[in-house]
């Protein structure tokens, strides 16, 4: 079952762009992971908030994705920029446009 | 500026799957629209709620997308299944994995 996640990351005041850069770096690292179908980083008119829409082949692949050393290091570096627990919506992807067929 | 939208559609009781089918039909119609980069339909553990993640070349393209006759007809047919105003988060897409380069 294709697994999705929509996350709202609160950033420390004035650190929204820096946090977005880290999450874009994570997206680049995930280019190598075929189980990661999408990792889309966005902003909004809400300052110091970064949104990430993810699609994975399944939840286990997502859960395992933070294990590699370089990703763990990146998460550690980003932690000081995050201002609280992200709000997350877990999704069951039905389909649509823009997903690999 | 690449425009994004994340929407939470409340469905009438027991009509979540039917609403998802309509939104998947909309995604198929949008296959012809090059300005629509993504239109991903999802469910969650919340019954009778359908989520749509959209990415468009810009907001004007999104706003114009409901004008074609067949899409307007589809929206009319889906309206009775929708149980209230969708909650929507407008996004500025920074980038990431899964978007066309």
């Amino acid at each position: 079952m294709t697994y999705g996640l929509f996350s709202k990351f609160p950033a420390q005041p004035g650190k929204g762009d820096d946090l977005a850069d880290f999450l874009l770096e994570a997206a680049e690292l995930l280019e190598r992971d075929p189980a990661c179908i999408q990792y889309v980083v966005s902003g909004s008119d809400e300052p110091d908030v970064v949104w990430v829409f993810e699609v994975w082949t399944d939840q286990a692949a997502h859960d395992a994705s933070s294990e590699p050393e370089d990703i763990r290091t990146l998460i550690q570096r980003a932690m000081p920029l995050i201002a609280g627990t992200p709000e997350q919506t877990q999704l069951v992807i039905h389909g649509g446009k823009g997903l690999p067929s």
Side-chain angles (χ1 to χ4, degrees), chain A:
Chain A
M1 192 176 54
T2 308
Y3 175 76
L5 194 63
F6 187 64
S7 306
K8 177 180 181 179
F9 289 92
Q12 299 293 355
K15 297 296 181 188
D17 290 344
D18 292 347
L19 180 56
D21 288 343
F22 269 114
L23 293 166
L24 285 168
E25 213 177 308
E28 266 173 43
L29 291 177
L30 291 170
E31 287 291 347
R32 69 192 182 211
D33 186 345
C36 175
I37 300 166
Q38 290 199 355
Y39 192 96
V40 178
V41 180
S42 306
S44 64
D45 53 14
E46 205 174 333
D48 296 328
V49 169
V50 185
W51 308 80
V52 179
F53 178 71
E54 301 176 56
V55 177
W56 293 79
T57 49
D58 52 53
Q59 183 169 356
H62 165 266
D63 297 349
S65 67
S66 52
E67 284 164 18
E69 174 101 24
D70 52 1
I71 289 189
R72 263 188 289 133
T73 305
L74 187 66
I75 291 169
Q76 286 306 321
R77 286 170 52 212
M79 287 304 270
L81 302 179
I82 298 173
T85 310
E87 292 170 33
Q88 296 192 307
T89 305
Q90 296 196 339
L91 302 168
V92 175
I93 306 291
H94 293 320
K97 182 176 182 178
L99 294 172
S101 31

